[in-house]
Amino acid sequence: MRAHYRAEGLDEHDLTPHPMGQFARWFRQAARAAVQGMVYEPNAMVVSTADAEGRPSSRTVLLKQYDEQGFVFYTNYESRKALELSGNPYVSLLFPWHPMARQVIVSGTARRTGRDETAAYFRTRPHGSQLGAWASSQSSVISSRTELEASYAELAARYPEGEQVPVPPNWGGFRVAPQAVEFWQGRENRLHDRLRYVAEPDGGWRVERLSP
């Protein structure tokens, strides 16, 4: 079960000066591939955190925004990942664009987004997703699916379609500020291209090539 990659390579001279610029370039290409049916949910990323004892956990989360400041996702602040980030802000993100033989691996630190930014994003969510944010006590143990659906039904009756749903107080975003960003391009004979941006103390970025 080994794929033989023959994709075009990645050269240092082709990179943008800032890793978020390079990410934007690759993300646009992944989004085009999604339109063509090659990539499913290009904004899906694996978020890995660790608890106070260093035990890791991973889950797939949707990227909702990116800019020069980093990558933004939203969650319940009482979820496992949020609680782990409150004690250990170091986080890893992985974008697995397998059909393109590409990966982007991010190492950085997470901090909460402001409430105004959170509220602005919450207003863009579909009505059902807004209710779902209230109905789910993410990562907590529940007795049954029926309990979850009953909570949702109660909220749907309280806030029918067209009525504004308030932002849950324990729900919001995290912005991951990158400290290192690796762009991985699969190549023939397992001689993959791995180019990594590393943050410098002066605010600049150093690019280094890693052996595959």
Side-chain angles (χ1 to χ4, degrees):
M1 299 176 68
R2 297 171 66 88
H4 294 282
Y5 304 124
R6 289 181 172 81
E8 62 182 8
L10 181 63
D11 187 85
E12 289 86 341
H13 298 96
D14 296 331
L15 297 177
T16 66
H18 196 284
M20 297 309 296
Q22 184 64 33
F23 178 81
R25 177 184 294 173
W26 270 26
F27 187 82
R28 286 193 296 268
Q29 294 170 0
R32 287 197 294 269
V35 172
Q36 298 166 2
M38 291 177 55
V39 175
Y40 181 70
E41 290 192 321
N43 61 322
M45 58 184 182
V46 178
V47 177
S48 298
T49 58
D51 64 16
E53 285 73 41
R55 294 172 296 196
S57 62
S58 299
R59 74 288 292 162
T60 301
V61 176
L62 294 181
L63 174 73
K64 291 302 181 181
Q65 179 187 342
Y66 65 89
D67 53 31
E68 282 212 352
Q69 305 305 312
F71 306 83
V72 178
F73 66 91
Y74 290 86
T75 187
N76 187 308
Y77 283 145
E78 296 174 359
S79 66
R80 178 175 178 175
K81 58 182 167 299
L83 293 176
E84 290 184 348
L85 288 173
S86 68
N88 176 7
Y90 294 102
V91 61
S92 175
L93 310 178
L94 168 65
F95 293 86
W97 298 324
H98 299 310
M100 303 175 70
R102 285 180 174 178
Q103 301 179 76
V104 179
I105 304 102
V106 180
S107 298
T109 56
R111 60 177 175 83
R112 292 188 180 190
T113 58
R115 292 307 291 174
D116 288 346
E117 183 177 356
T118 291
Y121 166 70
F122 189 79
R123 299 285 174 246
T124 70
R125 289 167 64 94
H127 182 256
S129 294
Q130 293 179 351
L131 297 179
W134 277 98
S136 172
S137 298
Q138 194 174 28
S139 300
S140 66
V141 176
I142 58 176
S143 61
S144 66
R145 173 82 187 184
T146 301
E147 176 186 339
L148 180 65
E149 292 178 344
S151 175
Y152 183 91
E154 180 184 341
L155 287 159
R158 188 187 313 168
Y159 302 108
E161 188 76 42
E163 186 168 330
Q164 188 176 72
V165 180
V167 182
N170 61 341
W171 187 93
F174 280 100
R175 175 172 280 100
V176 177
Q179 297 175 334
V181 185
E182 178 186 334
F183 293 86
W184 186 101
Q185 175 68 69
R187 298 295 301 277
E188 192 174 16
N189 298 320
R190 289 304 191 264
L191 300 180
H192 312 310
D193 287 323
R194 298 177 60 189
L195 298 182
R196 180 172 64 187
Y197 292 79
V198 179
E200 298 277 33
D202 63 0
W205 294 88
R206 178 180 78 255
V207 175
E208 50 194 22
R209 177 175 285 271
L210 305 179
S211 175

